Amino acid sequence: HAQPGGTPLARTILGPKEVIGSITAEEIREYVSSHYTADRMVVVGAGGVTHNQLVSLAEKNFSGFKGKPAKAPFTWEPSIFTGSEVRVHDDSMEGGAHVAIAFEGLAWNDPDIYALQMLGALLGSFDAKTARGAGVHSPSKLVHDLARDDLAISMVPFCTCYTDTGLFGVYAVASEKNELDDMTLILLEEMVRLCFTVSDEDCTRAGTALKSNLAMALDGTSHVAEDIGRQLITYGRRIPLQEAYQRIDEVTPDDLMRVANRVIWDQEIAVAALGQVKYLPDYNKLRGRTWWNIY
């Protein structure tokens, strides 16, 4: 989220230090009163609770909350993604550097959101500390190459969605060799490759992985309740798992390549790096790796 220009994406979740240090008790009470209103809340029950019990509990505990205010407690501003970087050079940190590279992703309600999540699943992930040697046997070319050349000890893709934008990218921790030029080359090269080479087998593998992730995210009543609440706030309804599976099954290899071109090909990137980052390529070099010369 390290973006210049003061756009909403650049703001910290907790707020700047000077603001946190100056907040008074009265300001906290005023914030809770204006922002914690009934129209912005969802009450969810999962597990051994009936509808009538949930209604009774909601009336008992939340009936005192205010309704929708006449004026919104905040001014909505569009999120503007800006290519940029933040480097925190700290040689005292042990191990390799921590590097995240993000493209502008998609909003929650974008019709291509499942295809984008499948692209993340196609990139794969690994952690050498928990499964040493497993990376070289991964069906993901990205994971295989990073593990084969001992360039990273872990790598995970991310797809973070917001109301009007999102972030899609990878987060990697370099190995002790800390060969950041080679690591970032492979990271971006394999992401760009998705714009042109996605097979039927790749599409099936990505769909299966995403379905598995969706199902495992509902392991337990707490996770189910969290999922219901998030979807009600985001979509206004809960999307059944079967409907999500159907949407995933409808995604084709051409859809994946089209979405990859939309999000990745020659697009601006945001880079965040921490640790021994002295030899991390400069921003322009990384940006130049988001496209290929094709003759």
Side-chain angles (χ1 to χ4, degrees):
H1 291 194
Q3 310 285 341
T7 68
L9 277 178
R11 297 170 187 163
T12 68
I13 297 175
L14 298 177
K17 293 181 180 179
E18 58 273 16
V19 173
I20 295 175
S22 63
I23 293 177
T24 65
E26 180 58 33
E27 288 174 331
I28 294 176
R29 285 191 290 267
E30 174 60 28
Y31 181 88
V32 171
S33 176
S34 60
H35 287 73
Y36 286 56
T37 54
D39 62 300
R40 307 184 71 200
M41 296 176 63
V42 172
V43 179
V44 177
V49 60
T50 67
H51 176 73
N52 290 336
Q53 288 174 324
L54 187 62
V55 170
S56 177
L57 289 170
E59 290 177 343
K60 177 182 177 181
N61 294 282
F62 302 115
S63 59
F65 279 77
K66 296 179 180 178
K68 185 176 182 179
K71 183 180 179 181
F74 60 90
T75 302
W76 183 86
E77 299 176 48
S79 298
I80 301 173
F81 183 90
T82 308
S84 59
E85 67 172 10
V86 171
R87 302 178 183 221
V88 180
H89 188 178
D90 184 357
D91 286 336
S92 66
M93 289 185 61
E94 296 182 358
H98 297 246
V99 180
I101 302 174
F103 295 85
E104 182 175 17
L106 304 176
W108 273 115
N109 59 357
D110 192 287
D112 287 330
I113 190 60
Y114 284 103
L116 185 62
Q117 290 176 326
M118 287 173 65
L119 289 175
L122 201 55
L123 290 173
S125 62
F126 84 106
D127 187 340
K129 293 181 179 179
T130 58
R132 183 166 298 277
V136 294
H137 304 294
S138 171
S140 162
K141 188 175 185 303
L142 173 57
V143 171
H144 173 271
D145 290 353
L146 289 174
R148 177 199 62 199
D149 298 336
D150 189 26
L151 294 174
I153 60 172
S154 67
M155 187 280 297
V156 61
F158 55 85
C159 181
T160 305
C161 301
Y162 303 107
T163 301
D164 59 348
T165 187
L167 295 172
F168 175 78
V170 291
Y171 165 64
V173 180
S175 66
E176 292 286 345
K177 296 195 302 183
N178 213 37
E179 295 178 353
L180 301 181
D181 193 7
D182 290 343
M183 185 185 78
T184 54
L185 172 63
I186 290 178
L187 288 173
L188 287 166
E189 184 177 71
E190 293 308 317
M191 294 182 77
V192 173
R193 191 185 301 278
L194 296 175
C195 299
F196 304 101
T197 55
V198 177
S199 65
D200 290 335
E201 180 182 347
D202 291 332
C203 189
T204 300
R205 176 164 59 87
T208 301
L210 181 55
K211 289 179 183 178
S212 176
N213 291 338
L214 291 177
M216 289 190 294
L218 301 178
D219 182 19
T221 53
S222 296
H223 294 158
V224 170
E226 181 182 351
D227 180 70
I228 295 173
R230 183 188 301 111
Q231 292 200 31
L232 285 174
I233 290 176
T234 303
Y235 302 117
R237 70 183 183 96
R238 190 188 184 196
I239 298 177
L241 202 57
Q242 191 56 45
E243 180 182 338
Y245 285 176
Q246 181 178 348
R247 293 189 183 185
I248 292 171
D249 289 337
E250 292 172 351
V251 176
T252 66
D254 287 339
D255 290 328
L256 293 178
M257 289 184 282
R258 174 182 55 79
V259 174
N261 273 274
R262 176 184 174 189
V263 173
I264 298 171
W265 180 258
D266 198 17
Q267 298 298 317
E268 299 297 332
I269 56 175
V271 181
L274 171 66
Q276 300 176 26
V277 298
K278 180 178 180 179
Y279 297 108
L280 179 70
D282 66 39
Y283 179 86
N284 290 326
K285 186 173 184 178
L286 294 173
R287 175 64 175 83
R289 290 173 173 172
T290 64
W291 57 279
W292 296 344
N293 280 321
I294 301 177
Y295 300 98

